[in-house]
């Protein structure tokens, strides 16, 4: 039978606020009585005629109290109560048993099932209403408490969400402002000051920054707090001092692990004298409990560390993620400042180098110009002619060496330089180097001493390049050593390593410049009145050439006016009987004079170069003609039928490679000797020359004796003689 809702007049307010009262009895008249009695409570009274119907109702509805008849057919009240208690929803619902008689055993069973009371029939209305009202009120109070708890929980969640949102906004604003401030300047000291400003007091009570210099050494700025700010950055920048050993150890440990490390409060500086106000490291305030050592990294490049001092609670939970974010942004800003500084330094060095290059190139041009002007005189004596010729020759050689050094640096930078190793005797290498540098040393009346091991030492190396290394070192030592000074070239073998040193009694090297002596274009003295010339690339070449041989180079000096020593370390060994005798040094190729009047065609778009080469060849007995472009060269070759063609590569219109290919197709010049005379000396140009059909590739300015020796091969071939 369906449940019957007791008729009742609904009170003011929502019916959902009313409590449900379940009456379970098999007699209809009892339902009428209970409905009338409970009507005054103004609640929802729900009727069930059996235990099964009651069970169906409790699955759908929630009841404040259940009135349950003990004696019912099918399922009695006690069995129904037992089943009701099995449902989680009604496990605590108050049960009032209604019975016509009270049996002691039933009473015990009822209370065991959770009954709160027994009501005997006929019921007393006031007692029934009173008891039911108590449980209804308790139910309604419990509902109100649950609603209040739900509201408070929702409010707490709302407050937590709002606080989290506000914290997220504050965090985002803080990090945004930190990024803006850190990117404001590309000066390292300004960036350090900004980092400390950002860190205090948001991240810690005190802060300091340690930086790694180019040699991997650590230096610390002053400790800053929110009260004592660092002084403005002046020309010398922020004060930096060597960190305390314990601080340095903690910093290097954090940089090694690349993780923020929490340690006991650190002393930042070695205690030395009295530091300015706001920059002391001793003693730390009493409330400092921990130091957070935060490594600054960009990629794999360590920049230093941010040191934060504060209480333990300041380095817990989400605060450490904020520290990580700030450190990451600071590292990027400091790396940008470092790179900008390097770019500025490189740009300044480039400008200084260009100015120095112009100066060094103009220096030899002045005596050349003067000598040419003297040669224009009408009445010149033989000694004057010889003197002018020698002046021009020496200055041209000087300019050629500078250009060669520049080209070598360019090739090394592009990885285009290779060494051709052979077994070399150390004594022969010394002989070559001394021979190249002896004129400069003798001109300055300097004393050169040699110290060689008694054993015969051999090296697997390139004779030309290693001779260049030692002659560069000797020339450098002579340049910076005064008149009649001393230079020592020494060698010693330790195990399988040969140490070659060039030591002088010259002006020495300043300590701050010593780490940069092998840097490209680096010069200790860049003043206008400096006594020594040069481009600052000699020692750079030395370093790269030695490294190509698997060696290393070092510089030593006790300071200005204390001399300097450059040492070269190379793999070497004592010679064995199988190594001897070593191949003798190659002698100069003799210049062969032409047997007859060999025809030579000179092709160069620079008329001055072509004319001077023509005059030179004619003075040597050759018949020479010139052309200034590819088309005219081919036309002249058909008529002149030269035995030798000296051909420039950089021609207008048709370049020298194309002209050479066309010459090889002409019957008049298919067997001619083709010589590429050009300013391009790199390997790619030499390979292209070979593919185009050239027999030789000669770089300007050419060694004239070598060029004439090459040209003389035409006489050995025969043909191409003038009639």
């Amino acid at each position: 039978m369906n449940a019957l809702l007791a008729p009742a007049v609904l009170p003011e307010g929502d019916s959902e606020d009313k409590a449900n009262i379940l009456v379970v009895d098999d007699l209809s008249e009892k339902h009428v009585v209970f409905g009338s009695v409970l009507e005054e409570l103004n609640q929802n009274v729900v009727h069930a005629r059996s235990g099964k119907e009651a069970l169906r109702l409790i699955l759908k509805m929630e009841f404040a109290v259940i009135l349950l008849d003990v004696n019912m057919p099918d399922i009695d009240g006690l069995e129904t109560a037992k089943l009701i208690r099995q449902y989680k929803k009604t496990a605590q619902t108050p049960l009032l048993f209604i019975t016509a008689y009270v049996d002691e055993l039933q009473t015990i069973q009822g209370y065991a099932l959770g009954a709160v009371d027994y009501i005997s029939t006929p019921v007393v209305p006031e007692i029934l209403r009173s008891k039911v009202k108590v449980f209804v009120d308790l139910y309604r109070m419990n509902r109100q408490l649950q609603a209040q708890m739900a509201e408070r929980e929702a409010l707490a969640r709302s407050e937590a969400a709002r606080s989290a949102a506000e914290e997220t906004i504050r965090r985002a604003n803080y990090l945004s402002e930190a990024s803006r401030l850190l990117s404001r300047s590309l000066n390292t000291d300004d960036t350090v000051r900004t980092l400390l400003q950002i860190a205090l007091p948001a991240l810690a009570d005190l802060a300091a920054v340690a930086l790694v210099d180019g040699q991997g050494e650590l230096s610390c700025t002053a400790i800053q707090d929110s009260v004592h700010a660092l002084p403005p950055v002046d020309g010398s920048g922020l004060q930096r001092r060597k960190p305390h050993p314990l601080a340095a150890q903690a910093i290097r440990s954090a940089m090694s692990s690349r993780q923020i490390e929490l340690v006991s409060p650190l002393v930042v500086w070695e205690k030395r004298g009295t530091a300015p106000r706001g920059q002391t490291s001793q003693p730390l305030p009493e409330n400092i409990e921990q130091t957070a050592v935060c490594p600054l990294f960009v990629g794999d490049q360590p920049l230093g560390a941010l040191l934060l001092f504060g209480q333990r609670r300041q380095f817990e939970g989400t605060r450490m993620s904020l520290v990580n974010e700030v450190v990451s942004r600071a590292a990027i800003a400091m790396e940008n400042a470092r790179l900008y500084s390097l770019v500025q330094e490189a740009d300044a060095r480039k400008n200084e180098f260009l100015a120095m290059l112009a100066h060094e190139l103009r220096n030899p041009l002045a005596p050349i110009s003067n000598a040419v002007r003297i040669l224009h005189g009408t009445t010149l004596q033989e000694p004057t002619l010889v003197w002018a010729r020698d002046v021009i020759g020496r200055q041209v050689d000087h300019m050629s060496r500078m250009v060669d050094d520049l080209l070598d640096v360019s090739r090394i930078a592009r990885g285009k330089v290779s060494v051709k190793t052979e077994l070399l005797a150390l004594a022969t290498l010394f002989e070559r180097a001394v021979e190249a540098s002896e004129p400069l040393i003798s001109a300055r009346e300097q004393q050169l001493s040699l110290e060689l091991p008694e054993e015969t030492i051999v090296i697997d190396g390139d004779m030309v390049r290693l001779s260049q290394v030692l002659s560069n070192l000797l020339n450098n030592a002579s340049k910076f050593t005064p008149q009649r000074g001393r230079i020592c070239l020494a060698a010693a073998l330790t195990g399988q390593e040969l140490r070659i040193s060039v030591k002088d009694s010259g002006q020495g090297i300043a300590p701050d410049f010593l780490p940069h002596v092998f840097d490209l274009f680096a010069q200790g003295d860049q003043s206008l009145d400096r006594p020594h010339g040069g481009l600052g690339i000699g020692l750079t070449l030395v370093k790269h050439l030695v490294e190509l041989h698997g060696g290393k180079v070092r510089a030593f000096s006790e300071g200005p006016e204390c001399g300097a020593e450059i040492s070269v370390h190379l793999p070497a060994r004592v010679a064995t009987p199988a190594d001897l005798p070593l191949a003798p040094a190659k002698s100069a190729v003799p210049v062969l004079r032409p047997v007859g009047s060999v025809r030579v065609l000179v092709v160069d778009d620079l008329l001055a170069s072509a004319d001077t080469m023509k005059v030179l060849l004619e003075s040597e007995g050759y018949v020479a003609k010139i052309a200034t472009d590819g088309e005219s060269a081919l036309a002249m070759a058909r008529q002149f039928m030269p035995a030798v063609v000296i051909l420039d590569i950089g021609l207008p219109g048709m370049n020298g490679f194309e002209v050479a290919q066309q010459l090889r197709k002409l019957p008049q010049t298919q067997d001619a000797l083709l010589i590429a005379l050009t300013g391009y000396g790199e390997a790619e140009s030499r390979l292209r020359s070979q593919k185009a059909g050239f027999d030789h590739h000669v770089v300007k300015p050419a060694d004239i004796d070598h060029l004439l020796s090459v040209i003389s091969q035409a006489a050995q071939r025969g043909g191409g003689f003038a009639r």
Side-chain angles (χ1 to χ4, degrees), residues 169-189:
I169 292 172
R170 283 195 298 270
R171 179 191 179 104
N173 290 339
Y174 171 76
L175 292 175
S176 175
E177 180 67 6
S179 297
R180 186 188 69 81
L181 292 174
L182 286 168
S183 62
R184 190 170 53 183
S185 173
L186 289 173
N187 176 275
T188 301
D189 284 345

Side-chain angles (χ1 to χ4, degrees), residues 99-325:
T99 182
Y101 61 92
V102 179
D103 180 83
E104 185 176 351
L105 180 60
Q106 284 183 340
T107 303
I108 294 172
Q109 291 178 342
Y111 282 122
L113 292 172
V116 296
D117 202 354
Y118 271 82
I119 298 176
S120 59
T121 57
V123 297
V124 178
E126 290 78 8
I127 294 175
L128 178 62
R129 278 195 299 269
S130 176
K131 290 185 177 183
V132 172
K133 184 177 185 302
V134 169
F135 294 113
V136 168
D137 290 344
L138 287 174
Y139 173 79
R140 291 171 65 87
M141 289 174 60
N142 186 51
R143 290 283 300 270
Q144 290 176 358
L145 288 174
Q146 289 180 353
Q148 290 175 358
M149 289 177 60
E151 289 177 0
R152 289 175 182 175
E153 184 178 349
L155 181 61
R157 284 197 297 267
S158 175
E159 286 292 326
R162 185 175 62 82
S163 297
E166 290 176 351
E167 179 61 26
T168 300
I169 292 172
R170 283 195 298 270
R171 179 191 179 104
N173 290 339
Y174 171 76
L175 292 175
S176 175
E177 180 67 6
S179 297
R180 186 188 69 81
L181 292 174
L182 286 168
S183 62
R184 190 170 53 183
S185 173
L186 289 173
N187 176 275
T188 301
D189 284 345
D190 283 341
T191 304
V192 169
R193 285 172 51 81
T194 301
L195 175 57
L196 295 176
Q197 174 189 342
I198 291 168
L200 302 175
L203 303 180
D205 299 325
L206 299 171
V209 174
L211 298 178
V212 179
D213 62 18
Q215 285 69 51
E217 297 296 326
L218 284 170
S219 62
C220 279
T221 64
I223 290 182
Q224 179 182 344
D225 59 29
S226 56
V227 177
H228 301 113
L230 286 175
V233 177
D234 55 20
S236 60
L238 291 174
Q239 180 188 10
R240 292 189 177 92
R241 282 167 47 185
K242 185 178 180 181
H244 189 279
L246 292 179
Q249 180 180 354
I251 293 167
R252 293 197 182 279
S253 173
M255 289 195 299
S256 175
S257 66
R258 302 187 68 168
Q259 298 290 332
I260 296 177
E261 295 188 359
L262 299 176
V263 298
S264 300
L266 288 174
V267 176
V268 176
W269 280 337
E270 289 184 340
K271 194 171 182 181
R272 182 186 64 188
T274 303
R277 186 174 71 88
Q279 300 183 36
T280 59
S281 58
Q282 287 282 12
L284 291 173
E286 293 181 359
N287 64 331
I288 299 300
E289 299 174 345
Q290 266 188 337
T291 301
V293 185
C294 314
L296 297 166
F297 267 86
V298 171
D300 294 327
Q301 176 70 31
L303 305 178
L306 170 65
L307 307 178
L308 299 175
F309 303 80
Q311 301 176 34
R312 286 184 175 84
R313 61 177 177 78
Q314 293 176 286
F315 307 122
E316 295 176 350
T318 58
R319 291 181 64 88
M320 293 308 294
S321 66
L322 183 62
V323 171
N324 265 318
E325 289 283 353

Side-chain angles (χ1 to χ4, degrees), residues 702-722:
D703 182 330
I704 299 303
D705 287 339
H706 173 69
L707 182 61
L708 292 176
S709 174
V710 171
I711 296 174
S712 68
Q713 296 176 23
Q716 312 306 317
R717 291 188 180 186
F721 289 90

Side-chain angles (χ1 to χ4, degrees), residues 473-674:
L473 293 180
L474 289 172
N475 291 344
N476 200 64
S478 176
K479 182 194 302 184
F480 293 99
T481 300
Q483 292 279 95
R484 302 180 182 84
R486 297 184 309 278
I487 301 172
C488 178
L489 175 61
L493 182 67
T494 303
Q496 298 295 311
E497 183 180 81
L498 177 66
R499 182 181 186 272
I500 303 174
S501 64
V502 177
K503 189 174 183 179
D504 62 64
S505 60
Q507 68 182 47
I509 306 171
D512 58 341
F513 183 68
L514 192 60
H516 306 288
V517 293
F518 298 107
D519 293 350
L520 186 60
F521 308 140
Q523 293 184 333
D525 184 3
Q526 296 181 341
S527 58
L528 294 177
D529 58 348
R530 65 193 183 116
H532 313 292
L535 299 176
I537 59 179
L539 291 181
T540 303
L541 282 174
V542 166
K543 179 176 183 292
H544 285 297
L545 292 176
V546 169
E547 289 174 349
L548 286 174
H549 284 81
K552 57 187 177 182
V553 61
R554 297 285 185 270
F556 308 91
S557 179
E558 295 182 0
E561 308 307 327
C562 294
E565 180 179 2
I566 308 294
S567 64
V568 173
H569 303 258
L570 293 168
R573 57 184 172 83
V574 177
T576 63
D579 297 327
L580 301 175
L582 295 174
K586 296 180 181 179
S587 58
V589 178
V591 178
L592 301 176
R593 301 301 177 187
V595 177
S597 299
V598 178
R599 293 189 292 269
V600 181
L601 175 60
V602 179
V603 185
D604 198 321
D605 60 326
L606 183 59
L607 190 57
S609 179
D611 283 337
T612 53
M613 181 59 68
K614 178 176 181 293
V615 172
L616 174 63
L617 292 170
E618 289 176 344
S619 68
E620 295 292 331
Y622 296 96
V623 177
K625 287 191 177 182
I626 63 174
T628 57
D629 58 60
E631 294 294 340
S632 60
L634 294 174
M636 186 169 293
R638 295 185 183 94
Q639 300 176 358
F640 186 49
M641 293 183 292
V644 180
V645 179
I646 302 175
L647 181 57
D648 186 22
I649 298 296
L651 295 174
M654 184 186 299
N655 64 44
F657 299 123
E658 297 170 333
V659 174
Q661 291 171 347
Q662 294 297 323
L663 288 173
R664 285 301 184 206
K665 295 177 182 179
L666 294 177
Q668 297 89 341
T669 53
Q670 62 182 1
D671 296 323
L673 184 72
L674 300 187

